[in-house]
Amino acid sequence: MPRSVFPPATIIPWLAYTRSLTEKLNALTGDARLDVLHQSWDNPNSWDKKVLFLDCDQVMHREIAMWSLDSVCWYARTILPISTYQSNKALFERLQNESLGQLIFNSQQIERLSLTHYAISPDSIEYSWLNSNFHEDAPILWVRLSEFQVNHDSSFYLVEILLPGLLRCLS
């Protein structure tokens, strides 16, 4: 990935936004629909270990797609270490009925520790997580990576990949 790649001006406010992207999308289009694609407990994969430096037995991977106006706008993957889940089980069990965004932004227990963004290309691991209909063979996509902390002691992570469908909704 060339280091001189900069996000399009229309995407920058989305990359830097610290509140709920879902609420921002719904305010813009009047339509934001979450689709849970997959949720399972797994061993941490190489990305979890290399990027997040996770050294634990199991993590929950929860993958969603956010849709608006018949376009998929972003893909998100939550990485939840089992120790974080176990020490906050009642909170995370709410994922059966609520979105992660509802948990994060409606809970005093959760705070964002960091928010970074970076570009990915088809040779990036993150790009391979996407269904080909989602990435539409885009040469560059933009990722938001957040670390959240629960009760000031245990972390979980959220990776959000902004997709070409979001640009269509913005135009």
Side-chain angles (χ1 to χ4, degrees), residues 98-143:
E98 298 176 54
S99 71
L100 182 64
Q102 289 170 316
L103 291 185
I104 291 170
F105 298 109
N106 296 330
S107 173
Q108 298 290 333
Q109 297 172 271
I110 300 175
E111 68 176 320
R112 189 190 312 258
L113 294 182
S114 65
L115 172 62
T116 58
H117 67 270
Y118 57 94
I120 60 170
S121 63
D123 60 348
S124 304
I125 291 173
E126 298 92 332
Y127 202 96
S128 71
W129 299 345
L130 303 171
N131 174 314
S132 61
N133 295 333
F134 291 0
H135 62 64
E136 301 176 20
D137 295 323
I140 296 173
L141 295 173
W142 290 91
V143 176

Side-chain angles (χ1 to χ4, degrees), residues 56-151:
C56 56
D57 293 335
Q58 285 197 312
V59 295
M60 177 193 291
H61 287 132
R62 176 182 166 97
E63 300 173 67
I64 66 99
M66 182 59 65
W67 293 81
S68 183
L69 307 175
D70 296 322
S71 291
V72 63
C73 296
W74 63 83
Y75 161 94
R77 177 180 282 196
T78 304
I79 301 102
L80 176 62
I82 195 163
S83 59
T84 301
Y85 176 83
Q86 289 173 335
S87 62
N88 303 280
K89 195 171 184 176
L91 176 71
F92 289 110
E93 283 180 341
R94 291 170 42 196
L95 285 173
Q96 296 171 8
N97 302 311
E98 298 176 54
S99 71
L100 182 64
Q102 289 170 316
L103 291 185
I104 291 170
F105 298 109
N106 296 330
S107 173
Q108 298 290 333
Q109 297 172 271
I110 300 175
E111 68 176 320
R112 189 190 312 258
L113 294 182
S114 65
L115 172 62
T116 58
H117 67 270
Y118 57 94
I120 60 170
S121 63
D123 60 348
S124 304
I125 291 173
E126 298 92 332
Y127 202 96
S128 71
W129 299 345
L130 303 171
N131 174 314
S132 61
N133 295 333
F134 291 0
H135 62 64
E136 301 176 20
D137 295 323
I140 296 173
L141 295 173
W142 290 91
V143 176
R144 290 168 34 112
L145 173 59
S146 297
E147 179 179 0
F148 293 94
Q149 193 173 67
V150 185
N151 295 321

Side-chain angles (χ1 to χ4, degrees), residues 4-24:
S4 61
V5 175
F6 296 101
T10 54
I11 293 292
I12 293 171
W14 291 78
L15 292 171
Y17 197 64
T18 58
R19 298 296 304 153
S20 169
L21 285 184
T22 301
E23 289 177 10
K24 183 176 177 71

